[in-house]
Amino acid sequence: DLVRETVASGGIVLFVGTKKQAQESIVLQADRCGMPYVNQRWLGGTLTNWRTIRQRIDYLLEVEKQQARGEFARLTKKEALMREREIARLNHRLGGLKEMRRLPNLLFVVDIRRDSIAVKEANILGIPIIAMVDTNCDPDPIDHIIPSNDDAIRALKLMCTTLASAVLEGQAMLSSIRAEEEEVEALEEDAAMERYLGPSTLAKIQEQEEAEAEAKMQAETVAEPV
C-alpha cells in the first residue's frame, strides 16, 4: 500500500540490492516498473551528496551521446578505447540511476547489513525505508520491516516482484488521476470560453474546428494509396 500510494502521488522508489543473490532480480524488476536501482557497490554519498553523483551521471549521458554521434571516430584509437572503458565503468556503477533526476521518496533494501551505508544515508535525509530484515539484522533503522530470509533467492525474487507490481499499480493510478485532471481542465476552459465569448463567436469557432477536421480527413483519404 505504501509503495502504491507513493508512486500514485508521483514519488520515486529506489531498489537497492548489491549482494550476488539479489543483483539479477533487482535489475529485472526495477526495469520492469521503470524505477532506479543500485545492484553494484553502493557509492558513499549517493544520497547525501546527490548533486555530485548527478553531475557524474550527466557526464556519462553526454559521453554516450558523443559516442552515438560518431565523435569517437575522430579520436585516436587509444583515446576512443579509454572513453569506451570510462563509459563501461560509469555504467557499471551508475547505470541504474540514469533516469533518477531527484532524490527518491522511498528505498527498498534487500540486505541492510551489506548496504548499511544506504540505510544510514536514507536515515539522515529522512527517506523512509522498506527492507527485508533477517534475524541477524538490527531492525531499528528501518521504517517498514519485512521479516524475511535475505539469502534465499526465491524470497528475494518474491519480494522484488511484489514491490515492482505495487509500483506498476501506483503508476496506473497516477495516469488515471492525471487523465481526470486534464479532463477537468478542459471542461473549465470550455466553461470559461462560454462565459466570455458570445453565442455567435462560439458558433464560428465550432464551424472552423469542424471544417479543419473535415479537411484533414479529406487530405488523409487522398494520401491513401490506391
Side-chain angles (χ1 to χ4, degrees):
D1 290 343
L2 175 65
V3 171
R4 192 183 302 116
E5 291 168 6
T6 299
V7 175
S9 62
I12 298 171
V13 180
L14 175 60
F15 286 64
V16 182
T18 60
K19 67 193 309 178
K20 189 174 181 181
Q21 301 96 307
Q23 288 176 346
E24 183 179 353
S25 296
I26 287 289
V27 175
L28 286 174
Q29 298 306 322
D31 282 342
R32 181 167 75 92
C33 63
M35 285 293 163
Y37 64 86
V38 175
N39 73 325
Q40 300 299 325
R41 185 175 70 86
W42 180 272
L43 296 177
T46 297
L47 298 179
T48 53
N49 195 19
W50 170 244
R51 183 177 297 179
T52 301
I53 297 295
R54 188 64 236 181
Q55 288 175 354
R56 294 302 295 166
I57 295 171
D58 291 339
Y59 171 74
L60 167 62
L61 294 173
E62 179 59 32
V63 176
E64 285 183 332
K65 287 179 183 177
Q66 293 174 3
Q67 185 182 35
R69 292 195 296 263
E71 293 184 16
F72 284 14
R74 303 173 187 172
L75 304 174
T76 64
K77 287 185 178 180
K78 184 178 180 180
E79 289 175 336
L81 183 60
M82 288 175 63
R83 288 287 184 91
E84 289 170 359
R85 286 177 177 172
E86 186 177 29
I87 288 173
R89 180 176 59 82
L90 290 173
N91 266 317
H92 181 71
R93 294 184 176 181
L94 304 172
L97 300 173
K98 278 183 182 179
E99 303 302 322
M100 193 171 82
R101 307 301 305 180
R102 56 183 173 84
L103 287 173
N105 302 87
L106 193 62
L107 248 68
F108 168 59
V109 184
V110 165
D111 186 340
I112 61 175
R113 290 189 69 189
R114 183 180 180 88
D115 295 311
S116 59
I117 300 175
V119 173
K120 288 177 182 177
E121 291 187 21
N123 289 158
I124 291 170
L125 297 173
I127 300 173
I129 302 173
I130 298 177
M132 298 173 64
V133 181
D134 209 335
T135 52
N136 62 346
C137 299
D138 177 14
D140 289 344
I142 309 305
D143 300 278
H144 306 279
I145 298 168
I146 304 174
S148 177
N149 180 358
D150 58 23
D151 292 315
I153 294 177
R154 289 179 64 184
L156 295 170
K157 286 182 178 179
L158 173 63
M159 296 306 171
C160 291
T161 303
T162 303
L163 266 290
S165 298
V167 169
L168 291 171
E169 290 174 12
Q171 289 171 344
M173 291 169 61
L174 179 60
S175 298
S176 177
I177 291 169
R178 286 176 175 171
E180 290 176 2
E181 289 176 349
E182 290 174 0
E183 186 176 349
V184 170
E185 288 177 1
L187 291 173
E188 289 176 351
E189 288 177 3
D190 292 342
M193 286 182 65
E194 291 178 3
R195 191 180 304 117
Y196 294 113
L197 299 178
S200 58
T201 306
L202 290 170
K204 289 180 180 179
I205 292 173
Q206 187 175 0
E207 289 177 4
Q208 185 177 359
E209 290 177 350
E210 290 175 355
E212 289 175 355
E214 186 176 351
K216 185 178 180 181
M217 288 179 61
Q218 291 177 354
E220 291 176 352
T221 303
V222 172
E224 290 179 358
V226 180

